[in-house]
Amino acid sequence: MDDIHRLIVDQIPHLRRYARALLRNPDAADDLVQECLTRAMDRLHLWKPGSNMRAWLFSILHNQHVNAARRLNRRPDKADPERDHDALRPAPPEQGSRHEVRDLGRALEQLPEEQRQVVLLVGLEGLSYQETAEVLDVPSGTVMSRLNRGRQLLREIMEQNGTPNLRRVK
Amino acid sequence: MTAPDPVTQEDLHAYVDGRLEPADELRIEAWLAEHPEDAAAVHAYRLQNSRLHDEFDSILDQAIPPEMEAIVTGRPRGAARLPRPWMNMAASILLLLAGGMGGWLLHGTQGPPPQGPAGTFADVAMGAHRVFVAEVRHPVEVPATQEAHLVAWLSKRLGTKLRAPDLTDAGFSLVGGRLLAEGDLPAAQFMYEDSGGQRLTVYVRAADETGDTAFRFVAKDNVSAFYWMERAFAYALVAPMERTRLMAIAHKVYGDLSPR
């Protein structure tokens, strides 16, 4: 395997982790990663050697995800970023019982998707704010505001539902 | 405490994510000591990050599904459209570049410009740069936390007294280093990173021939390098950076690495 293919294969575990956290459904997540890899190989001639392979692959994955949602005509409404209509996610959980939201995955599901993406890219994948802005193709100020709102909301969800590690209850 | 810059929500997130300079971290820590609400938020955000890892990191340890790897490795059509790998780049092109761009003389005792070997040398150093700066989990073999061990080990293998250049003033801190093989020769690579995640590498190995040279510059595919020979060792500084800024750092690297 030559270097460039090695660089891509090395990112597969990270792409899978992000897709799993984003979509929750393992099959849908791996399907998305496969679409991303297929697309990346088709566009490999556009990758600049020495540039950031991780950011490049994540941006392809993000675009594939957005396109899939758009194909299903369920794309999150840009005019109303607080609403979340992600067709690829499983149905939202029943109104959270205390038990259910202890599952971090379910708490994440309650975030608007645009916030969830930023919380995951930064907090789980360790992307810099600049990389996250590139991946999502938004200004870095937007990344910061989504990160702030996403983390605040996640905190409220988790604290409201009595996560044992957090005592502060609203 | 003198009135410091007010701490913003952005600062708190950058603190949580380890994206601040040490001085700013201290400023935030002082602030948090007096602002329990913000300290609670920071605690909650950190907990979120660690719980995300608890929940999802197991995927990193799973074997890569063969069908995924096959998409990447089993489609030579995509690879055929790539530019030739830099490692195989014809040395003659490098020679042209090196010949055309040299000229800044480091000091008085100039040998002839490094022809073939140094051209190949810069090529290899840039190749090693590209391969390892892209690494997320294993960018270095020995991290900067074990700098003394790293330097002693690489010095022993290369047979010269190395040190890791201090590039703090240029905004870069040491990530660590690794031992590489260039043909039969051991080579050392130090990696540095700035607060924005930009990485540069310093590559050192025994020279193919003796004789000191000037700094020589080469740029290719968004990566630039200054390289030179000094008393039987060849050095390269590689970064995705324009020439002037890279040269300033090259001075520092030269000063720190030059045999004494």
Side-chain angles (χ1 to χ4, degrees):
Chain A
M1 201 185 315
D2 63 26
D3 295 323
I4 189 168
H5 295 114
R6 182 83 257 160
L7 289 179
I8 296 173
V9 169
D10 284 348
Q11 291 300 325
I12 290 177
H14 299 274
L15 294 166
R16 293 183 76 206
R17 178 173 65 176
Y18 174 66
R20 183 81 59 92
L22 184 69
L23 301 180
R24 295 286 323 281
N25 178 329
D27 292 333
D30 277 353
D31 284 350
L32 178 61
V33 173
Q34 294 212 23
E35 287 172 28
C36 164
L37 294 171
T38 303
R39 180 84 173 149
M41 295 310 294
D42 284 342
R43 298 168 66 84
L44 198 49
H45 59 288
L46 296 177
W47 183 71
K48 290 180 191 155
S51 65
N52 187 329
M53 176 62 85
R54 176 171 66 155
W56 188 67
L57 288 173
F58 272 93
S59 68
I60 291 174
L61 185 129
H62 172 71
N63 289 334
Q64 293 294 107
H65 173 56
V66 168
N67 290 342
R70 186 184 286 144
R71 276 200 300 278
L72 293 168
N73 201 20
R74 298 280 300 277
R75 186 162 185 267
D77 185 358
K78 271 203 161 177
D80 186 4
E82 297 305 321
R83 297 188 58 200
D84 182 19
H85 303 280
D86 177 15
L88 293 182
R89 285 195 299 123
E94 312 84 60
Q95 278 309 351
S97 73
R98 291 166 64 95
H99 176 71
E100 279 169 340
V101 264
R102 283 187 195 177
D103 176 348
L104 179 69
R106 287 184 183 259
L108 280 171
E109 280 189 344
Q110 298 181 37
L111 295 189
E113 182 171 275
E114 290 182 335
Q115 294 175 21
R116 186 166 68 242
Q117 288 166 349
V118 173
V119 166
L120 293 175
L121 288 172
V122 171
L124 179 61
E125 294 305 326
L127 266 61
S128 70
Y129 303 143
Q130 184 56 41
E131 283 176 316
T132 304
E134 285 171 28
V135 166
L136 302 176
D137 195 23
V138 298
S140 54
T142 305
V143 167
M144 291 312 297
S145 65
R146 287 180 188 173
L147 181 65
N148 192 37
R149 279 182 287 143
R151 281 179 169 167
Q152 283 180 351
L153 183 54
L154 192 55
R155 181 186 179 197
E156 282 172 26
I157 293 167
M158 294 171 74
E159 292 183 5
Q160 272 172 0
N161 290 279
T163 307
N165 291 325
L166 291 170
R167 292 207 189 83
R168 229 171 66 104
V169 176
K170 280 194 88 148
Chain B
M1 195 167 70
T2 57
D5 296 340
V7 166
T8 64
Q9 289 295 311
E10 258 180 57
D11 289 333
L12 296 183
H13 291 290
Y15 178 74
V16 167
D17 296 316
R19 299 279 168 192
L20 293 177
E21 297 293 323
D24 283 321
E25 286 197 351
L26 292 176
R27 180 171 66 90
I28 305 295
E29 277 160 14
W31 172 275
L32 293 178
E34 296 178 5
H35 296 80
E37 290 283 311
D38 284 341
V42 162
H43 174 74
Y45 300 159
R46 284 200 159 140
L47 190 65
Q48 288 175 13
N49 284 359
S50 74
R51 290 199 57 191
L52 284 172
H53 284 284
D54 291 346
E55 183 96 6
F56 297 108
D57 277 2
S58 62
I59 297 171
L60 296 182
D61 298 324
Q62 293 175 12
I64 293 173
E67 65 274 17
M68 288 190 187
E69 189 155 345
I71 293 172
V72 179
T73 57
R75 296 185 48 168
R77 194 167 53 88
R81 278 185 262 131
L82 270 180
R84 286 174 63 81
W86 52 86
M87 292 288 192
N88 297 336
M89 179 92 182
S92 57
I93 296 176
L94 261 294
L95 285 179
L96 281 176
L97 284 171
M101 295 185 195
W104 184 77
L105 300 185
L106 190 62
H107 52 78
T109 57
Q110 295 304 323
Q115 291 297 316
T120 307
F121 169 71
D123 223 9
V124 170
M126 291 169 93
H129 175 88
R130 292 179 205 280
V131 169
F132 292 109
V133 296
E135 275 291 327
V136 180
R137 297 186 84 191
H138 309 294
V140 295
E141 220 169 340
V142 178
T145 48
Q146 301 169 43
E147 182 176 340
H149 164 67
L150 170 70
V151 168
W153 170 53
L154 293 176
S155 296
K156 186 176 167 204
R157 293 307 308 269
L158 265 70
T160 185
K161 180 148 174 50
L162 286 173
R163 55 183 76 73
D166 179 1
L167 305 181
T168 318
D169 289 347
F172 283 86
S173 54
L174 184 68
V175 178
R178 62 169 68 236
L179 182 69
L180 296 166
E182 190 182 332
D184 293 343
L185 288 173
Q189 184 187 56
F190 292 106
M191 188 181 296
Y192 295 77
E193 192 170 59
D194 72 7
S195 59
Q198 189 180 61
R199 287 173 170 177
L200 67 76
T201 56
V202 174
Y203 185 93
V204 186
R205 69 154 163 78
D208 300 305
E209 52 199 72
T210 53
D212 299 349
T213 72
F215 277 9
R216 311 198 74 86
F217 179 77
V218 59
K220 190 163 57 184
D221 298 333
N222 297 325
V223 176
S224 313
F226 272 102
Y227 59 100
W228 65 94
M229 287 199 294
E230 166 90 359
R231 293 205 222 160
F233 280 87
Y235 304 86
L237 168 68
V238 188
M241 200 180 280
E242 48 84 26
R243 181 188 169 116
T244 313
R245 185 163 170 235
L246 190 63
M247 185 190 284
I249 299 174
H251 276 287
K252 175 65 174 154
V253 173
Y254 171 79
D256 281 1
L257 280 180
S258 187
R260 292 172 191 176

